Amino acid sequence: MTNIAILCSGGDVSGMNPAIKHFVEYALQKKLIPYFVYDGYEGLIDNKIVKAGYEDVAGIMIRGGTKIGSARSKRFMQPEYRTVAKQNLDTHNIDMLVVLGGDGSFRGLHAFYKEHGIKFCGVPSTIDNDINGTDYCLGVDTALNIIKVSIDAIRDTAASFRRAFVIETMGRDCGYLALISSLTSGAELCLIPEVEYDLASHEEEFKKQIKNGRRYFIAVVSEGIKQDSQEIADWFEQKIGIESRVSILGHLQRGGNPSTYDRLMAYKFVTYAIDGLLGSYEESVICYTKSGFEFKSIDEVVGKHKQLDSGLLTYLSKM
Ligand code: ADP
């Protein structure tokens, strides 16, 4: 019998639990013995490696987060700790890993493979959807749905009280969540780190709209823009003349019941990951693009900046 393990590394996303559930079920179907590594690379180093069965994944499909924990690990950056991790995997006779994580996690795996030959398949998992080489990362759809529900709710109160709401989404370097949420919620203003903006250019139009009866504004801004969300709210009060409030969605965006799409993508990503490891892919990331699922090398995925869809960016320039 061959052993295979799964771990989550870096930021958690909703969709990891459906992936873990399918990992166990599909591994057993393929006559493999599935293992969990708890708490990411920290768990590899501390030997938190445990055999898993159907009973461990019962009922987790509907839960956000990850049953096996996730972590960042400074120690895994150092070769001596990766040697400890390899020794721990050896004691369980494991030489294949499925890793749910982002860029940084894949970089770590690449080093681990080069030094110790542990085969891996990475499953892109981040709500920012900013991993190069894949159009979709696990967790994005659930995060977008949570933002959608939040903005819809805020719109109700904004309209009742004649207010401007500045809604801040996650995304330190990447405006994907803000851009898509703004477009799909009908926001009046969207600010993201990738695009220069000049608030003054909106003043005349926004004031005219108030004169013509507009009762509220929704601005969706990414946490990575050059100004604080409160400064944008102050601008609404001082320059547009409308009372305003800030709403920072924060970690709400990471949790929650996984959407149908994330459950389905978890199923597909993990199926490909296990099939790839059983086939000829020893170190790859399973990506989803217009051509379907493709195994890509670490070099294609890591260390390159992913561009936002230029077609969607034209939407911003017309605001
Ligand atoms: P993400 O995978 O979401 O991009 P991080 O960038 O925080 O998250 O990376 C997750 C973990 O991957 C780090 O805490 C570290 O243990 C490991 N890692 C990142 N870069 C490297 C590297 N160059 N070498 C070894 N391990 C790394």
Side-chain angles (χ1 to χ4, degrees), residues 141-157 167 181 184-185 249 252-253 257:
D141 187 61
T142 305
L144 284 173
N145 277 301
I146 287 176
I147 298 170
K148 182 198 73 168
V149 169
S150 308
I151 297 178
D152 289 354
I154 286 171
R155 181 185 295 276
D156 293 342
T157 176
I167 300 165
S181 301
T184 52
S185 301
L249 300 184
L252 271 178
Q253 296 160 89
N257 173 276

Side-chain angles (χ1 to χ4, degrees), residues 85-295:
K86 158 72 173 159
Q87 287 160 355
N88 289 334
L89 285 173
D90 282 349
T91 62
H92 299 281
N93 211 11
I94 296 168
D95 71 347
M96 286 190 283
L97 287 177
V98 172
V99 173
L100 315 180
D103 246 57
S105 303
F106 301 156
R107 207 170 287 153
L109 281 174
H110 188 48
F112 199 39
Y113 174 81
K114 280 200 299 193
E115 290 160 0
H116 301 292
I118 297 292
K119 292 179 248 173
F120 70 88
C121 186
V123 173
S125 309
T126 165
I127 61 170
D128 287 340
N129 211 22
D130 62 347
I131 297 178
N132 197 54
T134 188
D135 292 346
Y136 190 74
C137 299
L138 198 61
V140 170
D141 187 61
T142 305
L144 284 173
N145 277 301
I146 287 176
I147 298 170
K148 182 198 73 168
V149 169
S150 308
I151 297 178
D152 289 354
I154 286 171
R155 181 185 295 276
D156 293 342
T157 176
S160 309
F161 262 86
R162 288 179 171 268
R163 277 175 178 160
F165 264 87
V166 179
I167 300 165
E168 182 182 303
T169 62
M170 278 187 167
R172 268 195 301 264
D173 315 304
C174 173
Y176 181 84
L177 290 177
L179 177 64
I180 302 301
S181 301
S182 162
L183 194 153
T184 52
S185 301
E188 283 68 46
L189 183 67
C190 174
L191 307 175
I192 59 174
E194 291 89 339
V195 178
E196 286 283 319
Y197 62 86
D198 174 19
L199 289 178
S201 69
H202 297 280
E203 281 175 22
E204 197 182 320
E205 174 60 25
F206 283 7
K207 281 197 269 198
K208 193 170 91 194
Q209 289 183 10
I210 290 184
K211 223 182 249 164
N212 292 341
R214 171 176 282 289
R215 292 179 62 83
Y216 66 92
F217 289 92
I218 299 287
V220 182
V221 308
S222 183
E223 66 175 331
I225 60 166
K226 62 189 178 197
Q227 284 174 291
D228 229 41
S229 293
Q230 187 56 52
E231 291 177 62
I232 309 296
D234 293 344
W235 171 79
F236 270 109
E237 297 224 338
Q238 288 154 17
K239 300 289 184 185
I240 309 300
I242 183 166
E243 194 183 338
S244 79
R245 293 286 184 275
V246 171
S247 200
I248 296 173
L249 300 184
H251 285 82
L252 271 178
Q253 296 160 89
R254 277 196 191 283
N257 173 276
S259 70
T260 304
Y261 189 68
D262 272 324
R263 296 180 197 194
L264 180 65
M265 288 304 279
Y267 178 92
K268 292 184 178 177
F269 272 132
V270 166
T271 304
Y272 273 92
I274 293 180
D275 286 346
L277 285 167
L278 292 178
S280 57
Y281 293 98
E282 297 208 340
E283 51 154 353
S284 66
V285 176
I286 179 67
C287 294
Y288 183 68
T289 68
K290 287 183 189 72
S291 352
F293 286 88
E294 286 176 70
F295 293 95

Side-chain angles (χ1 to χ4, degrees), residues 9-11 41 72-73 76-77 82 101-105 107-108:
S9 171
Y41 298 146
R72 299 202 163 84
S73 169
F76 199 72
M77 310 281 275
R82 294 200 290 269
D103 246 57
S105 303
R107 207 170 287 153

